[in-house]
Amino acid sequence: MTDSTGYGSSTSRWNRLYFDGDAVKYKRWEKKFLGYLKIKKLKATVVPEGETIDADKNEEVFAELIQLIDDRSLSLIMRDAKDKGREALKILCDHYAGKGKPPVI
């Protein structure tokens, strides 16, 4: 069964955006996620021009993010970046892209 757009079910869209915790796939997933945020008009929250962050949009990015990551990745961000999408994405990037010291789970 397909949705009204003719591009397959919305479930398959979620499957393409889901990050399974494989560090090799992280950079590609991050690009897809940023594209998704652009469509949702939330990308400027995580890749801002200035330093001002809209708290509601930052929380919305976090809510979108946690729907699309595996449990291990969720464990990395849920304490230190609760409801902070920009910080959560930075933690994931640092961990999976090998920047800095990985946090202990």
mmCIF file with all atom_site columns, all heavy atoms in Angstrom, residues 82-96:
data_model
loop_
_atom_site.group_PDB
_atom_site.id
_atom_site.type_symbol
_atom_site.label_atom_id
_atom_site.label_alt_id
_atom_site.label_comp_id
_atom_site.label_asym_id
_atom_site.label_entity_id
_atom_site.label_seq_id
_atom_site.pdbx_PDB_ins_code
_atom_site.Cartn_x
_atom_site.Cartn_y
_atom_site.Cartn_z
_atom_site.occupancy
_atom_site.B_iso_or_equiv
_atom_site.pdbx_formal_charge
_atom_site.auth_seq_id
_atom_site.auth_comp_id
_atom_site.auth_asym_id
_atom_site.auth_atom_id
_atom_site.pdbx_PDB_model_num
ATOM 1   N N   . LYS A 1 82 ? 19.038 16.773 26.966 1.00 0.00 ? 82 LYS A N   1
ATOM 2   C CA  . LYS A 1 82 ? 17.591 16.605 27.006 1.00 0.00 ? 82 LYS A CA  1
ATOM 3   C C   . LYS A 1 82 ? 16.892 17.837 26.438 1.00 0.00 ? 82 LYS A C   1
ATOM 4   O O   . LYS A 1 82 ? 17.126 18.953 26.899 1.00 0.00 ? 82 LYS A O   1
ATOM 5   C CB  . LYS A 1 82 ? 17.123 16.346 28.427 1.00 0.00 ? 82 LYS A CB  1
ATOM 6   C CG  . LYS A 1 82 ? 15.646 16.081 28.520 1.00 0.00 ? 82 LYS A CG  1
ATOM 7   C CD  . LYS A 1 82 ? 15.219 15.808 29.927 1.00 0.00 ? 82 LYS A CD  1
ATOM 8   C CE  . LYS A 1 82 ? 13.722 15.564 29.932 1.00 0.00 ? 82 LYS A CE  1
ATOM 9   N NZ  . LYS A 1 82 ? 13.192 15.514 31.271 1.00 0.00 ? 82 LYS A NZ  1
ATOM 10  N N   . ASP A 1 83 ? 16.067 17.611 25.435 1.00 0.00 ? 83 ASP A N   1
ATOM 11  C CA  . ASP A 1 83 ? 15.286 18.662 24.772 1.00 0.00 ? 83 ASP A CA  1
ATOM 12  C C   . ASP A 1 83 ? 16.141 19.720 24.088 1.00 0.00 ? 83 ASP A C   1
ATOM 13  O O   . ASP A 1 83 ? 15.676 20.825 23.834 1.00 0.00 ? 83 ASP A O   1
ATOM 14  C CB  . ASP A 1 83 ? 14.305 19.325 25.744 1.00 0.00 ? 83 ASP A CB  1
ATOM 15  C CG  . ASP A 1 83 ? 13.225 18.364 26.216 1.00 0.00 ? 83 ASP A CG  1
ATOM 16  O OD1 . ASP A 1 83 ? 12.897 17.422 25.457 1.00 0.00 ? 83 ASP A OD1 1
ATOM 17  O OD2 . ASP A 1 83 ? 12.704 18.540 27.320 1.00 0.00 ? 83 ASP A OD2 1
ATOM 18  N N   . LYS A 1 84 ? 17.385 19.385 23.785 1.00 0.00 ? 84 LYS A N   1
ATOM 19  C CA  . LYS A 1 84 ? 18.297 20.320 23.111 1.00 0.00 ? 84 LYS A CA  1
ATOM 20  C C   . LYS A 1 84 ? 18.822 19.648 21.843 1.00 0.00 ? 84 LYS A C   1
ATOM 21  O O   . LYS A 1 84 ? 19.848 18.978 21.860 1.00 0.00 ? 84 LYS A O   1
ATOM 22  C CB  . LYS A 1 84 ? 19.442 20.706 24.033 1.00 0.00 ? 84 LYS A CB  1
ATOM 23  C CG  . LYS A 1 84 ? 18.982 21.426 25.281 1.00 0.00 ? 84 LYS A CG  1
ATOM 24  C CD  . LYS A 1 84 ? 20.126 21.680 26.226 1.00 0.00 ? 84 LYS A CD  1
ATOM 25  C CE  . LYS A 1 84 ? 19.616 22.298 27.513 1.00 0.00 ? 84 LYS A CE  1
ATOM 26  N NZ  . LYS A 1 84 ? 20.655 22.304 28.534 1.00 0.00 ? 84 LYS A NZ  1
ATOM 27  N N   . GLY A 1 85 ? 18.108 19.848 20.752 1.00 0.00 ? 85 GLY A N   1
ATOM 28  C CA  . GLY A 1 85 ? 18.445 19.192 19.498 1.00 0.00 ? 85 GLY A CA  1
ATOM 29  C C   . GLY A 1 85 ? 19.836 19.516 18.991 1.00 0.00 ? 85 GLY A C   1
ATOM 30  O O   . GLY A 1 85 ? 20.555 18.643 18.526 1.00 0.00 ? 85 GLY A O   1
ATOM 31  N N   . ARG A 1 86 ? 20.215 20.787 19.087 1.00 0.00 ? 86 ARG A N   1
ATOM 32  C CA  . ARG A 1 86 ? 21.536 21.186 18.588 1.00 0.00 ? 86 ARG A CA  1
ATOM 33  C C   . ARG A 1 86 ? 22.641 20.473 19.359 1.00 0.00 ? 86 ARG A C   1
ATOM 34  O O   . ARG A 1 86 ? 23.565 19.915 18.774 1.00 0.00 ? 86 ARG A O   1
ATOM 35  C CB  . ARG A 1 86 ? 21.714 22.691 18.716 1.00 0.00 ? 86 ARG A CB  1
ATOM 36  C CG  . ARG A 1 86 ? 23.081 23.151 18.208 1.00 0.00 ? 86 ARG A CG  1
ATOM 37  C CD  . ARG A 1 86 ? 23.426 24.510 18.712 1.00 0.00 ? 86 ARG A CD  1
ATOM 38  N NE  . ARG A 1 86 ? 23.105 25.531 17.757 1.00 0.00 ? 86 ARG A NE  1
ATOM 39  C CZ  . ARG A 1 86 ? 23.389 26.816 17.935 1.00 0.00 ? 86 ARG A CZ  1
ATOM 40  N NH1 . ARG A 1 86 ? 23.976 27.227 19.025 1.00 0.00 ? 86 ARG A NH1 1
ATOM 41  N NH2 . ARG A 1 86 ? 23.077 27.701 17.025 1.00 0.00 ? 86 ARG A NH2 1
ATOM 42  N N   . GLU A 1 87 ? 22.554 20.460 20.683 1.00 0.00 ? 87 GLU A N   1
ATOM 43  C CA  . GLU A 1 87 ? 23.574 19.801 21.499 1.00 0.00 ? 87 GLU A CA  1
ATOM 44  C C   . GLU A 1 87 ? 23.565 18.288 21.274 1.00 0.00 ? 87 GLU A C   1
ATOM 45  O O   . GLU A 1 87 ? 24.622 17.662 21.233 1.00 0.00 ? 87 GLU A O   1
ATOM 46  C CB  . GLU A 1 87 ? 23.352 20.117 22.972 1.00 0.00 ? 87 GLU A CB  1
ATOM 47  C CG  . GLU A 1 87 ? 23.666 21.552 23.322 1.00 0.00 ? 87 GLU A CG  1
ATOM 48  C CD  . GLU A 1 87 ? 23.413 21.859 24.790 1.00 0.00 ? 87 GLU A CD  1
ATOM 49  O OE1 . GLU A 1 87 ? 23.611 20.964 25.641 1.00 0.00 ? 87 GLU A OE1 1
ATOM 50  O OE2 . GLU A 1 87 ? 23.009 22.998 25.073 1.00 0.00 ? 87 GLU A OE2 1
ATOM 51  N N   . ALA A 1 88 ? 22.385 17.719 21.125 1.00 0.00 ? 88 ALA A N   1
ATOM 52  C CA  . ALA A 1 88 ? 22.283 16.278 20.906 1.00 0.00 ? 88 ALA A CA  1
ATOM 53  C C   . ALA A 1 88 ? 22.962 15.876 19.605 1.00 0.00 ? 88 ALA A C   1
ATOM 54  O O   . ALA A 1 88 ? 23.727 14.902 19.568 1.00 0.00 ? 88 ALA A O   1
ATOM 55  C CB  . ALA A 1 88 ? 20.813 15.859 20.892 1.00 0.00 ? 88 ALA A CB  1
ATOM 56  N N   . LEU A 1 89 ? 22.725 16.638 18.555 1.00 0.00 ? 89 LEU A N   1
ATOM 57  C CA  . LEU A 1 89 ? 23.351 16.327 17.271 1.00 0.00 ? 89 LEU A CA  1
ATOM 58  C C   . LEU A 1 89 ? 24.864 16.486 17.353 1.00 0.00 ? 89 LEU A C   1
ATOM 59  O O   . LEU A 1 89 ? 25.607 15.694 16.785 1.00 0.00 ? 89 LEU A O   1
ATOM 60  C CB  . LEU A 1 89 ? 22.763 17.218 16.174 1.00 0.00 ? 89 LEU A CB  1
ATOM 61  C CG  . LEU A 1 89 ? 22.942 16.722 14.754 1.00 0.00 ? 89 LEU A CG  1
ATOM 62  C CD1 . LEU A 1 89 ? 22.367 15.330 14.558 1.00 0.00 ? 89 LEU A CD1 1
ATOM 63  C CD2 . LEU A 1 89 ? 22.300 17.689 13.777 1.00 0.00 ? 89 LEU A CD2 1
ATOM 64  N N   . LYS A 1 90 ? 25.332 17.474 18.099 1.00 0.00 ? 90 LYS A N   1
ATOM 65  C CA  . LYS A 1 90 ? 26.781 17.668 18.280 1.00 0.00 ? 90 LYS A CA  1
ATOM 66  C C   . LYS A 1 90 ? 27.393 16.482 19.030 1.00 0.00 ? 90 LYS A C   1
ATOM 67  O O   . LYS A 1 90 ? 28.454 15.992 18.662 1.00 0.00 ? 90 LYS A O   1
ATOM 68  C CB  . LYS A 1 90 ? 27.072 18.967 19.012 1.00 0.00 ? 90 LYS A CB  1
ATOM 69  C CG  . LYS A 1 90 ? 28.571 19.221 19.149 1.00 0.00 ? 90 LYS A CG  1
ATOM 70  C CD  . LYS A 1 90 ? 28.859 20.540 19.817 1.00 0.00 ? 90 LYS A CD  1
ATOM 71  C CE  . LYS A 1 90 ? 30.324 20.859 19.973 1.00 0.00 ? 90 LYS A CE  1
ATOM 72  N NZ  . LYS A 1 90 ? 31.282 19.794 19.937 1.00 0.00 ? 90 LYS A NZ  1
ATOM 73  N N   . ILE A 1 91 ? 26.721 16.013 20.070 1.00 0.00 ? 91 ILE A N   1
ATOM 74  C CA  . ILE A 1 91 ? 27.213 14.856 20.823 1.00 0.00 ? 91 ILE A CA  1
ATOM 75  C C   . ILE A 1 91 ? 27.306 13.630 19.915 1.00 0.00 ? 91 ILE A C   1
ATOM 76  O O   . ILE A 1 91 ? 28.310 12.907 19.921 1.00 0.00 ? 91 ILE A O   1
ATOM 77  C CB  . ILE A 1 91 ? 26.303 14.566 22.044 1.00 0.00 ? 91 ILE A CB  1
ATOM 78  C CG1 . ILE A 1 91 ? 26.478 15.657 23.101 1.00 0.00 ? 91 ILE A CG1 1
ATOM 79  C CG2 . ILE A 1 91 ? 26.600 13.192 22.635 1.00 0.00 ? 91 ILE A CG2 1
ATOM 80  C CD1 . ILE A 1 91 ? 25.445 15.604 24.219 1.00 0.00 ? 91 ILE A CD1 1
ATOM 81  N N   . LEU A 1 92 ? 26.273 13.402 19.123 1.00 0.00 ? 92 LEU A N   1
ATOM 82  C CA  . LEU A 1 92 ? 26.286 12.258 18.205 1.00 0.00 ? 92 LEU A CA  1
ATOM 83  C C   . LEU A 1 92 ? 27.405 12.389 17.178 1.00 0.00 ? 92 LEU A C   1
ATOM 84  O O   . LEU A 1 92 ? 28.117 11.423 16.902 1.00 0.00 ? 92 LEU A O   1
ATOM 85  C CB  . LEU A 1 92 ? 24.937 12.117 17.498 1.00 0.00 ? 92 LEU A CB  1
ATOM 86  C CG  . LEU A 1 92 ? 23.770 11.681 18.373 1.00 0.00 ? 92 LEU A CG  1
ATOM 87  C CD1 . LEU A 1 92 ? 22.477 11.694 17.576 1.00 0.00 ? 92 LEU A CD1 1
ATOM 88  C CD2 . LEU A 1 92 ? 24.012 10.309 18.979 1.00 0.00 ? 92 LEU A CD2 1
ATOM 89  N N   . CYS A 1 93 ? 27.557 13.585 16.640 1.00 0.00 ? 93 CYS A N   1
ATOM 90  C CA  . CYS A 1 93 ? 28.613 13.815 15.655 1.00 0.00 ? 93 CYS A CA  1
ATOM 91  C C   . CYS A 1 93 ? 29.990 13.565 16.272 1.00 0.00 ? 93 CYS A C   1
ATOM 92  O O   . CYS A 1 93 ? 30.824 12.877 15.690 1.00 0.00 ? 93 CYS A O   1
ATOM 93  C CB  . CYS A 1 93 ? 28.523 15.235 15.116 1.00 0.00 ? 93 CYS A CB  1
ATOM 94  S SG  . CYS A 1 93 ? 29.739 15.578 13.828 1.00 0.00 ? 93 CYS A SG  1
ATOM 95  N N   . ASP A 1 94 ? 30.228 14.122 17.448 1.00 0.00 ? 94 ASP A N   1
ATOM 96  C CA  . ASP A 1 94 ? 31.511 13.929 18.119 1.00 0.00 ? 94 ASP A CA  1
ATOM 97  C C   . ASP A 1 94 ? 31.778 12.451 18.390 1.00 0.00 ? 94 ASP A C   1
ATOM 98  O O   . ASP A 1 94 ? 32.897 11.971 18.227 1.00 0.00 ? 94 ASP A O   1
ATOM 99  C CB  . ASP A 1 94 ? 31.564 14.712 19.435 1.00 0.00 ? 94 ASP A CB  1
ATOM 100 C CG  . ASP A 1 94 ? 31.644 16.209 19.223 1.00 0.00 ? 94 ASP A CG  1
ATOM 101 O OD1 . ASP A 1 94 ? 31.866 16.657 18.076 1.00 0.00 ? 94 ASP A OD1 1
ATOM 102 O OD2 . ASP A 1 94 ? 31.473 16.951 20.212 1.00 0.00 ? 94 ASP A OD2 1
ATOM 103 N N   . HIS A 1 95 ? 30.732 11.740 18.790 1.00 0.00 ? 95 HIS A N   1
ATOM 104 C CA  . HIS A 1 95 ? 30.901 10.325 19.123 1.00 0.00 ? 95 HIS A CA  1
ATOM 105 C C   . HIS A 1 95 ? 31.134 9.461  17.870 1.00 0.00 ? 95 HIS A C   1
ATOM 106 O O   . HIS A 1 95 ? 32.091 8.693  17.810 1.00 0.00 ? 95 HIS A O   1
ATOM 107 C CB  . HIS A 1 95 ? 29.677 9.807  19.874 1.00 0.00 ? 95 HIS A CB  1
ATOM 108 C CG  . HIS A 1 95 ? 29.766 8.359  20.223 1.00 0.00 ? 95 HIS A CG  1
ATOM 109 N ND1 . HIS A 1 95 ? 30.538 7.903  21.264 1.00 0.00 ? 95 HIS A ND1 1
ATOM 110 C CD2 . HIS A 1 95 ? 29.223 7.261  19.643 1.00 0.00 ? 95 HIS A CD2 1
ATOM 111 C CE1 . HIS A 1 95 ? 30.458 6.589  21.318 1.00 0.00 ? 95 HIS A CE1 1
ATOM 112 N NE2 . HIS A 1 95 ? 29.658 6.176  20.355 1.00 0.00 ? 95 HIS A NE2 1
ATOM 113 N N   . TYR A 1 96 ? 30.269 9.594  16.890 1.00 0.00 ? 96 TYR A N   1
ATOM 114 C CA  . TYR A 1 96 ? 30.338 8.723  15.721 1.00 0.00 ? 96 TYR A CA  1
ATOM 115 C C   . TYR A 1 96 ? 31.350 9.143  14.675 1.00 0.00 ? 96 TYR A C   1
ATOM 116 O O   . TYR A 1 96 ? 31.839 8.320  13.921 1.00 0.00 ? 96 TYR A O   1
ATOM 117 C CB  . TYR A 1 96 ? 28.961 8.546  15.099 1.00 0.00 ? 96 TYR A CB  1
ATOM 118 C CG  . TYR A 1 96 ? 28.058 7.710  15.959 1.00 0.00 ? 96 TYR A CG  1
ATOM 119 C CD1 . TYR A 1 96 ? 26.978 8.279  16.626 1.00 0.00 ? 96 TYR A CD1 1
ATOM 120 C CD2 . TYR A 1 96 ? 28.289 6.346  16.134 1.00 0.00 ? 96 TYR A CD2 1
ATOM 121 C CE1 . TYR A 1 96 ? 26.155 7.511  17.432 1.00 0.00 ? 96 TYR A CE1 1
ATOM 122 C CE2 . TYR A 1 96 ? 27.481 5.584  16.945 1.00 0.00 ? 96 TYR A CE2 1
ATOM 123 C CZ  . TYR A 1 96 ? 26.418 6.161  17.592 1.00 0.00 ? 96 TYR A CZ  1
ATOM 124 O OH  . TYR A 1 96 ? 25.613 5.386  18.399 1.00 0.00 ? 96 TYR A OH  1
#
